[in-house]
C-alpha cells in the first residue's frame, strides 16, 4: 500500500534504514512522497539508500550515520540537524540484531549486554530524542518493530526474546503516558522474515523455510498502513506471521 504521494508533507525518521525492513519502509515512504531522515551505521549502505529514496520520489532525504545503541554518539550525530528533527512527525525504529550462540546456557554477560544495547537501548535512545520533539509539535507517531518472539516462545533465544518483549512493553508504556500530548505509539510484531537476521541462526534456514518467510516489503506495508491512518486512529499492536508453516 503506497498511495501516490500519500505521505506528501510528512517527515519520517527511519532508524535501521540500511537493510531489511527499514530499507523497505524507506522505499515505500519515498514513493509516497514523504520527507525522510535515514539513520544507519554503515556509511556506504546509507548513501545507497539515500540515493535510492531520492530517485523514488521522496520529498527530501537526509542520511545520518549513527549508532542508535550509543546515546552519546547518537546525540553527537544529530547535532547540526535540529531543524530537520523539528519537522519529524513519525519515527520508525527498525534496529535489531541477534546472535548465533543464543542458547541461554551459552550467553555471557557481554553477549547479553550487547543484545540489550542494540535491541532495547536503541529503541529507548531514539524515543528519548523524538518524544520531546513530538510533544513540542503537539503530536507524533512512534513505530517500533519488535518480533512475535515478544509474545510467544520460539528458538530465537532468551536475549532476543527478552529485549524484543522490552521494546513491546516500552512502546505500550509510552502510549499510556503520552496520548494526551497527541502521541501515538505502535509496536509491530513480525514473524520470520527474509532479512540478514536469518544468517544469525545457529542452523541457517533451508530454502524451503525461506520460501515461506515474510518479506521485508510485507513489514513495510504494515508500517505504511499505520502511517497512513488518520490521527484519530491508533493501532497499539500489529502481529504479522507467515501464512505457511
Amino acid at each position: 500500500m503506497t498511495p501516490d504521494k500519500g505521505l506528501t508533507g510528512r517527515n519520517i525518521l527511519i532508524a535501521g534504514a540500511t537493510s531489511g525492513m527499514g530499507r523497505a519502509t524507506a522505499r515505500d515512504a519515498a514513493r509516497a512522497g514523504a520527507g525522510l531522515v535515514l539513520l544507519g551505521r554503515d556509511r556506504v549502505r546509507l548513501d545507497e539508500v539515500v540515493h535510492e529514496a531520492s530517485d523514488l520520489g521522496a520529498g527530501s532525504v537526509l542520511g545520518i550515520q549513527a549508532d542508535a545503541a550509543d546515546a552519546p554518539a547518537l546525540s553527537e550525530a544529530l547535532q547540526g540537524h535540529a531543524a530537520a528533527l523539528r519537522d519529524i512527525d513519525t519515527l520508525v525504529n527498525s534496529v535489531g540484531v541477534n546472535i548465533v550462540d543464543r542458547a541461554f546456557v551459552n550467553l555471557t554477560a557481554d553477549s547479553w549486554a550487547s543484545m540489550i544495547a542494540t535491541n532495547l537501548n536503541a529503541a529507548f535512545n531514539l524515543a528519548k530524542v523524538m518524544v520531546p520533539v513530538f510533544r513540542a509539535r503537539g503530536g507524533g507517531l512512534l513505530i517500533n518493530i519488535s518480533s512475535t518472539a515478544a509474545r510467544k516462545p520460539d528458538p530465537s533465544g532468551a536475549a532476543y526474546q527478552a529485549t524484543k518483549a522490552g521494546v513491546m512493553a516500552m512502546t505500550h508504556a509510552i502510549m499510556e503516558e503520552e496520548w494526551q500530548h497527541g502521541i501515538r505509539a505502535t509496536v509491530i510484531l513480525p514473524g520470520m522474515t527474509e532479512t540478514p537476521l536469518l544468517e544469525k541462526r545457529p542452523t541457517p534456514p533451508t530454502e524451503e523455510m525461506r520460501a515461506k518467510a515474510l518479506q521485508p516489503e510485507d513489514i513495510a506495508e504494515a508500517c505504511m498502513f499505520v502511517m497512513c491512518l488518520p490521527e484519530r486512529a491508533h493501532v497499539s499492536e500489529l502481529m504479522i506471521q507467515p501464512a505457511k508453516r
Side-chain angles (χ1 to χ4, degrees):
M1 184 191 70
T2 53
D4 185 28
K5 303 305 178 186
L7 292 179
T8 297
R10 297 281 296 278
N11 292 286
I12 301 167
L13 170 63
I14 302 177
T18 58
S19 67
M21 302 170 193
R23 189 163 187 166
T25 303
R27 291 192 192 105
D28 276 3
R31 291 189 191 99
L36 297 176
V37 176
L38 305 176
L39 265 62
R41 293 184 299 179
D42 186 304
R43 182 78 254 176
V44 172
R45 291 193 298 170
L46 182 61
D47 288 343
E48 289 174 356
V49 72
V50 165
H51 290 132
E52 188 176 39
S54 181
D55 290 344
L56 288 170
S60 61
V61 191
L62 171 64
I64 301 176
Q65 186 178 13
D67 182 359
D70 184 334
L74 178 63
S75 178
E76 182 177 356
L78 295 177
Q79 285 180 4
H81 300 294
L85 289 178
R86 280 196 301 269
D87 289 336
I88 298 297
D89 56 66
T90 301
L91 165 65
V92 178
N93 167 38
S94 183
V95 175
V97 297
N98 206 344
I99 54 177
V100 175
D101 202 10
R102 61 183 64 175
F104 182 78
V105 294
N106 296 333
L107 287 175
T108 65
D110 287 342
S111 63
W112 175 263
S114 72
M115 289 290 287
I116 291 175
T118 302
N119 289 351
L120 187 53
N121 290 354
F124 172 79
N125 294 338
L126 290 162
K128 286 294 286 183
V129 169
M130 292 312 305
V131 166
V133 172
F134 292 161
R135 277 192 171 198
R137 290 179 55 84
L141 172 63
L142 185 157
I143 300 174
N144 278 320
I145 298 178
S146 178
S147 168
T148 55
R151 280 288 181 201
K152 60 180 184 178
D154 66 15
S156 60
Y160 186 80
Q161 292 179 53
T163 53
K164 287 300 186 177
V167 169
M168 178 183 67
M170 186 187 73
T171 307
H172 290 317
I174 289 172
M175 182 63 194
E176 179 68 19
E177 296 177 12
E178 296 294 333
W179 66 267
Q180 67 268 35
H181 298 116
I183 296 173
R184 295 174 293 157
T186 297
V187 61
I188 296 178
L189 311 175
M192 186 174 76
T193 307
E194 179 66 83
T195 71
L197 214 61
L198 291 186
E199 304 303 326
K200 293 294 186 179
R201 289 191 168 195
T203 302
T206 64
E207 289 304 313
E208 181 182 7
M209 293 170 65
R210 288 179 182 273
K212 296 177 180 178
L214 298 167
Q215 296 299 307
E217 291 75 16
D218 302 327
I219 313 309
E221 288 267 355
C223 290
M224 290 295 292
F225 162 68
V226 174
M227 289 191 288
C228 288
L229 286 172
E231 292 183 4
R232 65 177 178 269
H234 171 233
V235 176
S236 59
E237 187 175 307
L238 182 55
M239 182 180 287
I240 311 171
Q241 301 185 81
K244 298 180 180 179
R245 292 182 174 85

